[in-house]
Amino acid sequence: MQSLSGVLIGAVFGMVFVAINANAPLPPSAGTALRVIAGLALASVVVMWFLAGRRTRGSAAEPGGMFNRRYVVIVVLEALALFGGLRLLDALGWPEQSGVAWIALVVGIHFVALWPVWREVSILVPGAGLTVLGLAGLAMVWTEAVAWVPIVSGVLSGLLLLAGSTYYAQRVFRALPRA
């Protein structure tokens, strides 16, 4: 259940990335469609999480625990980098679109840093993807494509998180014993 809880957290953040960033320069209908797709993906992960909880009720706890001291250290470092970096970008006068790129970069690095702790490819692949999308957005903020940074670093990051979360949740759910 712990691994599905981590996936659920990723899916929620994926939905947030899409919901906040699926705006202009996308046409409104595209933004709406992306939000609906993201909502359906999140709903599927939530349903699998609840059903998995019912299937595993009363079973032995997972060994080791995913949310251990190393996890907490990485999350604290992530929070410091996230908020400190946003303040620094603002103080340096970077365009406001750089914020979403910075968030994608820091979250991606956070996932990559969690890989040695969790040893799950399900965290490494989206981590690498978010890192690349964050770097791409930061490179774009000083170009004529600056308006597309929230799409590249926000929407695409959210869709990547949702796709990975949905895939992994389905894989874990199918491996659980049937009640």
Side-chain angles (χ1 to χ4, degrees), residues 43-68:
S44 73
V45 172
V46 169
V47 167
M48 286 184 270
W49 184 81
F50 275 113
L51 293 175
R54 292 177 116 188
R55 282 189 188 178
T56 60
R57 190 173 299 150
S59 64
E62 293 179 45
M66 293 178 64
F67 305 108
N68 56 29

Side-chain angles (χ1 to χ4, degrees), residues 4-179:
L4 275 182
S5 294
V7 170
L8 178 61
I9 292 167
V12 168
F13 279 105
M15 177 67 203
V16 169
F17 265 118
V18 173
I20 291 173
N21 294 295
N23 301 309
L26 291 175
S29 59
T32 299
L34 288 167
R35 286 183 185 92
V36 168
I37 291 166
L40 291 172
L42 175 59
S44 73
V45 172
V46 169
V47 167
M48 286 184 270
W49 184 81
F50 275 113
L51 293 175
R54 292 177 116 188
R55 282 189 188 178
T56 60
R57 190 173 299 150
S59 64
E62 293 179 45
M66 293 178 64
F67 305 108
N68 56 29
R69 182 183 306 159
R70 292 184 298 171
Y71 169 83
V72 171
V73 168
I74 290 168
V75 170
V76 167
L77 291 173
E78 175 192 23
L80 292 171
L82 186 67
F83 295 111
L86 289 172
R87 295 189 108 193
L88 180 61
L89 291 174
D90 188 48
L92 293 173
W94 281 51
E96 76 176 70
Q97 294 89 341
S98 63
V100 69
W102 179 254
I103 292 168
L105 175 64
V106 171
V107 171
I109 292 170
H110 150 255
F111 284 169
V112 171
L114 281 174
W115 182 75
V117 176
W118 289 352
R119 294 282 184 214
E120 286 287 344
V121 173
S122 65
I123 193 95
L124 185 59
V125 171
L130 265 69
T131 301
V132 168
L133 291 169
L135 288 170
L138 287 173
M140 292 170 59
V141 297
W142 298 108
T143 72
E144 292 180 16
V146 66
W148 287 92
V149 171
I151 308 308
V152 170
S153 296
V155 173
L156 292 180
S157 290
L159 293 175
L160 178 62
L161 281 172
L162 286 161
S165 296
T166 303
Y167 170 78
Y168 188 73
Q170 182 182 34
R171 202 174 109 209
V172 169
F173 181 72
R174 286 184 175 185
L176 291 174
R178 300 234 180 233

